[in-house]
Amino acid sequence: MTRQIHVGGIPIGGGAPVTIQSMTNTRTDDVESTLSQIRSLAAAGCQIVRVAVPDGAAARAVAKIKEASPLPVVVDIHFDYKLALEAIAAGADKVRINPGNIGGEDRVKAVADACRLRGIPIRIGVNGGSLEKGLLAKYGGVCPEAMVESAFGHIRLLNKFDFDDICVSLKSSSVPMTMRAYQLMREKSNYPLHIGVTEAGTVRMGTLKSAVGIGGLLAQGIGDTMRVSLSADPVEEVYAARDILKAAGVR
């Protein structure tokens, strides 16, 4: 059994029911449009929502979104650790980062310290399309083993700063590669796993790829929270996730 974390009071891992996540596709600094979409996601059965924080305007909007959101809010951070700090201070319930792309260790430490003080978890998001050059050279390209090694490198970095409230995702656009990466990670650790297939595609193809990848993992007892990634209205992601959970016998 995986260890358990909490996102805005919702348990992930540790035997808790698999939760459904989605991500808004509005401009985060358009607070009303973002909240409208979050309410639609909640009505469809979404339990946790993620918003992109690419700039200061989005980070400043997090407080207003959090104040009115019916769902716990995860912030998606790339490259700028200051945006993570601002979103954490604004009340984010969870942070999704790749510790390898936000700069030096002092920046990772700043984010880890801020999350620890507020008692919020970090999701380490490993993506097959953005692995470290050293790992690509070591393994001769993207592979499940390289993805898992990347995850453990990020985990060690957070552990170095006394942070272990961690969830892990290992996503690729390849279903077999994604599944094998999650299987290896489950064999090697008990961190809760956020499962999904990245760049899954249109409603039809994306749902099929996710059904095979996510559903296959769920049928093996792997996965604590999930997102079906579609290039469509995010409400469609929630409908697909609900159906996959039912088909896998999980819900």
Side-chain angles (χ1 to χ4, degrees):
M1 184 181 293
T2 56
R3 65 178 67 181
Q4 191 170 91
I5 62 172
H6 288 83
V7 180
I10 294 179
I12 294 176
V18 178
T19 52
I20 295 173
Q21 300 195 28
S22 186
M23 185 172 183
T24 57
N25 60 9
T26 56
R27 283 183 57 93
T28 303
D29 59 351
D30 183 348
V31 174
E32 287 309 312
S33 294
T34 300
L35 282 171
S36 176
Q37 192 168 79
I38 291 173
R39 294 184 187 108
S40 296
L41 289 167
C46 185
Q47 294 161 284
I48 298 170
V49 68
R50 179 160 49 111
V51 299
V53 181
D55 52 35
R60 289 188 291 275
V62 170
K64 292 180 180 178
I65 293 169
K66 182 71 179 73
E67 184 179 342
S69 174
L71 301 176
V73 176
V74 181
V75 291
D76 197 28
I77 306 294
H78 291 274
F79 308 114
D80 191 344
Y81 81 107
K82 291 181 181 178
L83 297 177
L85 298 178
E86 189 169 350
I88 292 164
D93 295 293
K94 181 182 175 186
V95 177
R96 185 273 187 191
I97 61 170
N98 181 330
N101 70 17
I102 62 169
E105 290 191 3
D106 58 326
R107 298 181 176 186
V108 177
K109 182 179 186 300
V111 174
D113 288 346
C115 286
R116 188 189 321 100
L117 286 171
R118 290 185 174 263
I120 65 173
I122 290 174
R123 170 158 73 94
I124 293 172
V126 175
N127 192 305
S130 58
L131 286 179
E132 297 90 325
K133 291 181 180 178
L135 290 175
L136 293 175
K138 176 179 177 179
Y139 289 96
V142 181
C143 65
E145 292 78 9
M147 294 169 68
V148 170
E149 186 169 331
S150 176
F152 276 111
H154 300 326
I155 289 168
R156 283 192 297 271
L157 186 54
L158 290 175
N159 287 169
K160 179 178 179 179
F161 303 120
D162 195 30
F163 191 89
D164 203 39
D165 196 9
I166 294 168
C167 182
V168 178
S169 65
L170 308 107
K171 297 183 180 182
S172 164
S173 57
S174 163
V175 172
M177 187 178 299
T178 297
M179 292 183 71
R180 184 57 186 149
Y182 279 111
Q183 289 164 345
L184 285 172
M185 194 70 196
R186 181 62 183 273
E187 291 171 7
K188 294 174 179 291
S189 85
N190 67 345
Y191 287 102
L193 297 176
H194 172 116
I195 58 175
V197 179
T198 196
E199 299 172 2
T202 61
V203 171
R204 181 179 181 276
M205 196 62 204
T207 299
L208 286 171
K209 289 177 71 173
S210 296
V212 174
I214 296 173
L217 289 168
L218 291 170
Q220 298 172 54
I222 298 173
D224 302 287
T225 187
M226 62 180 284
R227 179 197 171 197
V228 175
S229 180
L230 302 176
S231 54
D233 184 331
V235 169
E236 295 292 340
E237 299 182 351
V238 180
Y239 293 152
R242 289 169 54 184
D243 290 341
I244 290 169
L245 284 169
K246 291 175 186 176
V250 177
R251 181 180 294 188

mmCIF file of all heavy atoms in Angstrom, residues 146-181:
data_model
loop_
_atom_site.group_PDB
_atom_site.id
_atom_site.type_symbol
_atom_site.label_atom_id
_atom_site.label_comp_id
_atom_site.label_asym_id
_atom_site.label_seq_id
_atom_site.Cartn_x
_atom_site.Cartn_y
_atom_site.Cartn_z
ATOM 1 N N ALA A 146 14.751 5.284 -17.300
ATOM 2 C CA ALA A 146 15.226 6.663 -17.203
ATOM 3 C C ALA A 146 14.207 7.538 -16.490
ATOM 4 O O ALA A 146 14.570 8.408 -15.687
ATOM 5 C CB ALA A 146 15.513 7.221 -18.602
ATOM 6 N N MET A 147 12.930 7.322 -16.761
ATOM 7 C CA MET A 147 11.883 8.098 -16.114
ATOM 8 C C MET A 147 11.872 7.857 -14.605
ATOM 9 O O MET A 147 11.758 8.788 -13.812
ATOM 10 C CB MET A 147 10.526 7.762 -16.735
ATOM 11 C CG MET A 147 10.404 8.200 -18.185
ATOM 12 S SD MET A 147 8.935 7.545 -19.019
ATOM 13 C CE MET A 147 7.636 8.414 -18.142
ATOM 14 N N VAL A 148 12.009 6.606 -14.227
ATOM 15 C CA VAL A 148 12.017 6.271 -12.797
ATOM 16 C C VAL A 148 13.255 6.851 -12.116
ATOM 17 O O VAL A 148 13.173 7.387 -11.006
ATOM 18 C CB VAL A 148 11.928 4.743 -12.599
ATOM 19 C CG1 VAL A 148 12.179 4.369 -11.140
ATOM 20 C CG2 VAL A 148 10.566 4.242 -13.046
ATOM 21 N N GLU A 149 14.399 6.763 -12.772
ATOM 22 C CA GLU A 149 15.613 7.332 -12.184
ATOM 23 C C GLU A 149 15.473 8.844 -12.027
ATOM 24 O O GLU A 149 15.941 9.422 -11.030
ATOM 25 C CB GLU A 149 16.828 6.999 -13.037
ATOM 26 C CG GLU A 149 18.145 7.445 -12.393
ATOM 27 C CD GLU A 149 19.387 6.892 -13.077
ATOM 28 O OE1 GLU A 149 19.317 5.791 -13.659
ATOM 29 O OE2 GLU A 149 20.427 7.572 -13.012
ATOM 30 N N SER A 150 14.837 9.491 -12.987
ATOM 31 C CA SER A 150 14.586 10.923 -12.889
ATOM 32 C C SER A 150 13.729 11.223 -11.662
ATOM 33 O O SER A 150 14.016 12.145 -10.890
ATOM 34 C CB SER A 150 13.886 11.427 -14.151
ATOM 35 O OG SER A 150 13.550 12.792 -14.038
ATOM 36 N N ALA A 151 12.679 10.447 -11.465
ATOM 37 C CA ALA A 151 11.795 10.659 -10.313
ATOM 38 C C ALA A 151 12.557 10.539 -9.005
ATOM 39 O O ALA A 151 12.414 11.382 -8.104
ATOM 40 C CB ALA A 151 10.643 9.653 -10.347
ATOM 41 N N PHE A 152 13.402 9.518 -8.897
ATOM 42 C CA PHE A 152 14.144 9.330 -7.650
ATOM 43 C C PHE A 152 15.179 10.430 -7.435
ATOM 44 O O PHE A 152 15.476 10.795 -6.297
ATOM 45 C CB PHE A 152 14.800 7.951 -7.618
ATOM 46 C CG PHE A 152 13.869 6.873 -7.143
ATOM 47 C CD1 PHE A 152 13.411 5.890 -8.013
ATOM 48 C CD2 PHE A 152 13.430 6.841 -5.826
ATOM 49 C CE1 PHE A 152 12.544 4.905 -7.584
ATOM 50 C CE2 PHE A 152 12.563 5.856 -5.383
ATOM 51 C CZ PHE A 152 12.116 4.887 -6.264
ATOM 52 N N GLY A 153 15.713 10.971 -8.520
ATOM 53 C CA GLY A 153 16.623 12.103 -8.375
ATOM 54 C C GLY A 153 15.915 13.307 -7.776
ATOM 55 O O GLY A 153 16.444 13.976 -6.881
ATOM 56 N N HIS A 154 14.699 13.564 -8.233
ATOM 57 C CA HIS A 154 13.919 14.677 -7.701
ATOM 58 C C HIS A 154 13.498 14.403 -6.256
ATOM 59 O O HIS A 154 13.484 15.320 -5.419
ATOM 60 C CB HIS A 154 12.686 14.918 -8.570
ATOM 61 C CG HIS A 154 13.008 15.261 -9.990
ATOM 62 N ND1 HIS A 154 14.115 15.998 -10.348
ATOM 63 C CD2 HIS A 154 12.362 14.965 -11.146
ATOM 64 C CE1 HIS A 154 14.130 16.148 -11.666
ATOM 65 N NE2 HIS A 154 13.078 15.527 -12.168
ATOM 66 N N ILE A 155 13.137 13.161 -5.976
ATOM 67 C CA ILE A 155 12.758 12.795 -4.607
ATOM 68 C C ILE A 155 13.922 13.028 -3.650
ATOM 69 O O ILE A 155 13.759 13.605 -2.575
ATOM 70 C CB ILE A 155 12.290 11.326 -4.550
ATOM 71 C CG1 ILE A 155 10.926 11.169 -5.230
ATOM 72 C CG2 ILE A 155 12.215 10.836 -3.098
ATOM 73 C CD1 ILE A 155 10.530 9.729 -5.480
ATOM 74 N N ARG A 156 15.105 12.583 -4.057
ATOM 75 C CA ARG A 156 16.286 12.780 -3.189
ATOM 76 C C ARG A 156 16.552 14.256 -2.935
ATOM 77 O O ARG A 156 16.952 14.647 -1.832
ATOM 78 C CB ARG A 156 17.509 12.112 -3.823
ATOM 79 C CG ARG A 156 17.538 10.598 -3.680
ATOM 80 C CD ARG A 156 18.894 10.026 -4.059
ATOM 81 N NE ARG A 156 19.214 10.263 -5.453
ATOM 82 C CZ ARG A 156 18.873 9.435 -6.445
ATOM 83 N NH1 ARG A 156 18.199 8.324 -6.182
ATOM 84 N NH2 ARG A 156 19.216 9.702 -7.698
ATOM 85 N N LEU A 157 16.321 15.074 -3.955
ATOM 86 C CA LEU A 157 16.554 16.506 -3.796
ATOM 87 C C LEU A 157 15.584 17.097 -2.769
ATOM 88 O O LEU A 157 15.987 17.875 -1.902
ATOM 89 C CB LEU A 157 16.404 17.205 -5.143
ATOM 90 C CG LEU A 157 16.746 18.695 -5.192
ATOM 91 C CD1 LEU A 157 18.146 18.967 -4.660
ATOM 92 C CD2 LEU A 157 16.606 19.217 -6.626
ATOM 93 N N LEU A 158 14.314 16.719 -2.845
ATOM 94 C CA LEU A 158 13.347 17.211 -1.865
ATOM 95 C C LEU A 158 13.645 16.643 -0.477
ATOM 96 O O LEU A 158 13.528 17.349 0.529
ATOM 97 C CB LEU A 158 11.928 16.859 -2.298
ATOM 98 C CG LEU A 158 11.392 17.627 -3.513
ATOM 99 C CD1 LEU A 158 10.022 17.100 -3.918
ATOM 100 C CD2 LEU A 158 11.302 19.121 -3.227
ATOM 101 N N ASN A 159 14.017 15.360 -0.420
ATOM 102 C CA ASN A 159 14.365 14.748 0.865
ATOM 103 C C ASN A 159 15.542 15.462 1.511
ATOM 104 O O ASN A 159 15.622 15.573 2.745
ATOM 105 C CB ASN A 159 14.710 13.265 0.677
ATOM 106 C CG ASN A 159 13.515 12.382 0.385
ATOM 107 O OD1 ASN A 159 13.679 11.238 0.028
ATOM 108 N ND2 ASN A 159 12.307 12.902 0.540
ATOM 109 N N LYS A 160 16.472 15.945 0.692
ATOM 110 C CA LYS A 160 17.641 16.657 1.200
ATOM 111 C C LYS A 160 17.219 17.871 2.020
ATOM 112 O O LYS A 160 17.906 18.273 2.966
ATOM 113 C CB LYS A 160 18.517 17.085 0.025
ATOM 114 C CG LYS A 160 19.768 17.872 0.405
ATOM 115 C CD LYS A 160 20.583 18.195 -0.831
ATOM 116 C CE LYS A 160 21.832 19.006 -0.480
ATOM 117 N NZ LYS A 160 22.639 19.312 -1.692
ATOM 118 N N PHE A 161 16.066 18.431 1.679
ATOM 119 C CA PHE A 161 15.569 19.614 2.379
ATOM 120 C C PHE A 161 14.421 19.247 3.314
ATOM 121 O O PHE A 161 13.534 20.051 3.586
ATOM 122 C CB PHE A 161 15.159 20.685 1.373
ATOM 123 C CG PHE A 161 16.280 21.073 0.449
ATOM 124 C CD1 PHE A 161 16.179 20.925 -0.919
ATOM 125 C CD2 PHE A 161 17.478 21.557 0.970
ATOM 126 C CE1 PHE A 161 17.221 21.267 -1.762
ATOM 127 C CE2 PHE A 161 18.533 21.900 0.134
ATOM 128 C CZ PHE A 161 18.412 21.750 -1.227
ATOM 129 N N ASP A 162 14.458 18.000 3.790
ATOM 130 C CA ASP A 162 13.528 17.530 4.805
ATOM 131 C C ASP A 162 12.078 17.618 4.346
ATOM 132 O O ASP A 162 11.184 17.983 5.104
ATOM 133 C CB ASP A 162 13.728 18.322 6.112
ATOM 134 C CG ASP A 162 13.052 17.663 7.304
ATOM 135 O OD1 ASP A 162 12.940 16.430 7.298
ATOM 136 O OD2 ASP A 162 12.635 18.392 8.233
ATOM 137 N N PHE A 163 11.855 17.286 3.069
ATOM 138 C CA PHE A 163 10.488 17.285 2.539
ATOM 139 C C PHE A 163 10.189 15.919 1.939
ATOM 140 O O PHE A 163 10.942 15.427 1.094
ATOM 141 C CB PHE A 163 10.295 18.368 1.472
ATOM 142 C CG PHE A 163 8.852 18.557 1.098
ATOM 143 C CD1 PHE A 163 8.065 19.458 1.795
ATOM 144 C CD2 PHE A 163 8.276 17.816 0.081
ATOM 145 C CE1 PHE A 163 6.716 19.608 1.475
ATOM 146 C CE2 PHE A 163 6.944 17.961 -0.238
ATOM 147 C CZ PHE A 163 6.153 18.870 0.458
ATOM 148 N N ASP A 164 9.077 15.313 2.381
ATOM 149 C CA ASP A 164 8.743 13.973 1.881
ATOM 150 C C ASP A 164 7.241 13.808 1.660
ATOM 151 O O ASP A 164 6.752 12.702 1.536
ATOM 152 C CB ASP A 164 9.254 12.918 2.856
ATOM 153 C CG ASP A 164 9.460 11.558 2.185
ATOM 154 O OD1 ASP A 164 9.935 11.532 1.033
ATOM 155 O OD2 ASP A 164 9.138 10.529 2.813
ATOM 156 N N ASP A 165 6.504 14.918 1.617
ATOM 157 C CA ASP A 165 5.061 14.882 1.376
ATOM 158 C C ASP A 165 4.857 14.929 -0.136
ATOM 159 O O ASP A 165 4.499 15.958 -0.704
ATOM 160 C CB ASP A 165 4.411 16.071 2.084
ATOM 161 C CG ASP A 165 2.909 15.918 2.223
ATOM 162 O OD1 ASP A 165 2.383 14.827 1.931
ATOM 163 O OD2 ASP A 165 2.256 16.895 2.631
ATOM 164 N N ILE A 166 5.111 13.783 -0.768
ATOM 165 C CA ILE A 166 5.333 13.738 -2.214
ATOM 166 C C ILE A 166 4.373 12.786 -2.903
ATOM 167 O O ILE A 166 4.049 11.710 -2.399
ATOM 168 C CB ILE A 166 6.782 13.289 -2.502
ATOM 169 C CG1 ILE A 166 7.788 14.346 -2.010
ATOM 170 C CG2 ILE A 166 6.998 13.004 -3.980
ATOM 171 C CD1 ILE A 166 9.229 13.854 -2.004
ATOM 172 N N CYS A 167 3.924 13.198 -4.100
ATOM 173 C CA CYS A 167 3.196 12.348 -5.036
ATOM 174 C C CYS A 167 4.005 12.340 -6.330
ATOM 175 O O CYS A 167 4.696 13.325 -6.636
ATOM 176 C CB CYS A 167 1.806 12.923 -5.267
ATOM 177 S SG CYS A 167 0.732 11.976 -6.362
ATOM 178 N N VAL A 168 3.966 11.266 -7.086
ATOM 179 C CA VAL A 168 4.801 11.139 -8.281
ATOM 180 C C VAL A 168 3.950 10.800 -9.504
ATOM 181 O O VAL A 168 3.030 9.981 -9.423
ATOM 182 C CB VAL A 168 5.873 10.041 -8.092
ATOM 183 C CG1 VAL A 168 6.712 9.876 -9.365
ATOM 184 C CG2 VAL A 168 6.773 10.358 -6.905
ATOM 185 N N SER A 169 4.274 11.427 -10.628
ATOM 186 C CA SER A 169 3.708 11.006 -11.910
ATOM 187 C C SER A 169 4.838 10.760 -12.891
ATOM 188 O O SER A 169 5.874 11.421 -12.845
ATOM 189 C CB SER A 169 2.741 12.059 -12.472
ATOM 190 O OG SER A 169 3.413 13.261 -12.780
ATOM 191 N N LEU A 170 4.651 9.778 -13.769
ATOM 192 C CA LEU A 170 5.650 9.419 -14.780
ATOM 193 C C LEU A 170 4.914 9.227 -16.102
ATOM 194 O O LEU A 170 4.463 8.129 -16.416
ATOM 195 C CB LEU A 170 6.388 8.135 -14.397
ATOM 196 C CG LEU A 170 7.009 8.088 -12.997
ATOM 197 C CD1 LEU A 170 6.205 7.162 -12.084
ATOM 198 C CD2 LEU A 170 8.444 7.622 -13.061
ATOM 199 N N LYS A 171 4.781 10.307 -16.845
ATOM 200 C CA LYS A 171 3.918 10.267 -18.018
ATOM 201 C C LYS A 171 4.703 10.317 -19.323
ATOM 202 O O LYS A 171 5.725 10.977 -19.420
ATOM 203 C CB LYS A 171 2.927 11.435 -17.975
ATOM 204 C CG LYS A 171 1.963 11.386 -16.795
ATOM 205 C CD LYS A 171 0.962 12.525 -16.867
ATOM 206 C CE LYS A 171 -0.009 12.493 -15.708
ATOM 207 N NZ LYS A 171 -1.017 13.570 -15.813
ATOM 208 N N SER A 172 4.156 9.619 -20.300
ATOM 209 C CA SER A 172 4.692 9.618 -21.646
ATOM 210 C C SER A 172 3.510 9.546 -22.594
ATOM 211 O O SER A 172 2.403 9.152 -22.197
ATOM 212 C CB SER A 172 5.615 8.402 -21.839
ATOM 213 O OG SER A 172 5.854 8.153 -23.207
ATOM 214 N N SER A 173 3.717 9.907 -23.848
ATOM 215 C CA SER A 173 2.648 9.753 -24.833
ATOM 216 C C SER A 173 2.538 8.306 -25.291
ATOM 217 O O SER A 173 1.573 7.927 -25.952
ATOM 218 C CB SER A 173 2.891 10.671 -26.033
ATOM 219 O OG SER A 173 4.161 10.407 -26.605
ATOM 220 N N SER A 174 3.529 7.480 -24.938
ATOM 221 C CA SER A 174 3.502 6.049 -25.253
ATOM 222 C C SER A 174 2.829 5.290 -24.117
ATOM 223 O O SER A 174 3.288 5.336 -22.975
ATOM 224 C CB SER A 174 4.929 5.526 -25.436
ATOM 225 O OG SER A 174 4.968 4.108 -25.343
ATOM 226 N N VAL A 175 1.767 4.591 -24.425
ATOM 227 C CA VAL A 175 1.050 3.833 -23.392
ATOM 228 C C VAL A 175 1.920 2.743 -22.773
ATOM 229 O O VAL A 175 2.020 2.645 -21.540
ATOM 230 C CB VAL A 175 -0.266 3.247 -23.949
ATOM 231 C CG1 VAL A 175 -0.905 2.298 -22.941
ATOM 232 C CG2 VAL A 175 -1.234 4.368 -24.289
ATOM 233 N N PRO A 176 2.586 1.884 -23.566
ATOM 234 C CA PRO A 176 3.408 0.838 -22.945
ATOM 235 C C PRO A 176 4.528 1.400 -22.076
ATOM 236 O O PRO A 176 4.814 0.863 -21.001
ATOM 237 C CB PRO A 176 3.980 0.072 -24.145
ATOM 238 C CG PRO A 176 3.014 0.322 -25.253
ATOM 239 C CD PRO A 176 2.545 1.731 -25.041
ATOM 240 N N MET A 177 5.168 2.487 -22.518
ATOM 241 C CA MET A 177 6.250 3.082 -21.740
ATOM 242 C C MET A 177 5.720 3.657 -20.431
ATOM 243 O O MET A 177 6.325 3.498 -19.371
ATOM 244 C CB MET A 177 6.966 4.165 -22.546
ATOM 245 C CG MET A 177 8.211 4.714 -21.852
ATOM 246 S SD MET A 177 9.076 5.961 -22.836
ATOM 247 C CE MET A 177 9.517 5.019 -24.300
ATOM 248 N N THR A 178 4.590 4.323 -20.522
ATOM 249 C CA THR A 178 3.977 4.887 -19.319
ATOM 250 C C THR A 178 3.643 3.797 -18.323
ATOM 251 O O THR A 178 3.954 3.896 -17.124
ATOM 252 C CB THR A 178 2.702 5.674 -19.691
ATOM 253 O OG1 THR A 178 3.054 6.784 -20.526
ATOM 254 C CG2 THR A 178 1.996 6.191 -18.453
ATOM 255 N N MET A 179 3.017 2.741 -18.778
ATOM 256 C CA MET A 179 2.616 1.659 -17.885
ATOM 257 C C MET A 179 3.821 1.019 -17.215
ATOM 258 O O MET A 179 3.831 0.773 -16.003
ATOM 259 C CB MET A 179 1.808 0.607 -18.649
ATOM 260 C CG MET A 179 0.456 1.095 -19.121
ATOM 261 S SD MET A 179 -0.515 -0.189 -19.939
ATOM 262 C CE MET A 179 -0.926 -1.246 -18.541
ATOM 263 N N ARG A 180 4.880 0.784 -17.991
ATOM 264 C CA ARG A 180 6.061 0.134 -17.420
ATOM 265 C C ARG A 180 6.746 1.038 -16.405
ATOM 266 O O ARG A 180 7.227 0.574 -15.363
ATOM 267 C CB ARG A 180 7.037 -0.256 -18.527
ATOM 268 C CG ARG A 180 8.256 -1.027 -18.029
ATOM 269 C CD ARG A 180 7.834 -2.285 -17.282
ATOM 270 N NE ARG A 180 8.960 -2.980 -16.672
ATOM 271 C CZ ARG A 180 8.880 -3.692 -15.557
ATOM 272 N NH1 ARG A 180 7.717 -3.837 -14.926
ATOM 273 N NH2 ARG A 180 9.948 -4.295 -15.080
ATOM 274 N N ALA A 181 6.757 2.352 -16.676
ATOM 275 C CA ALA A 181 7.370 3.284 -15.733
ATOM 276 C C ALA A 181 6.635 3.255 -14.396
ATOM 277 O O ALA A 181 7.260 3.216 -13.325
ATOM 278 C CB ALA A 181 7.366 4.697 -16.313
#
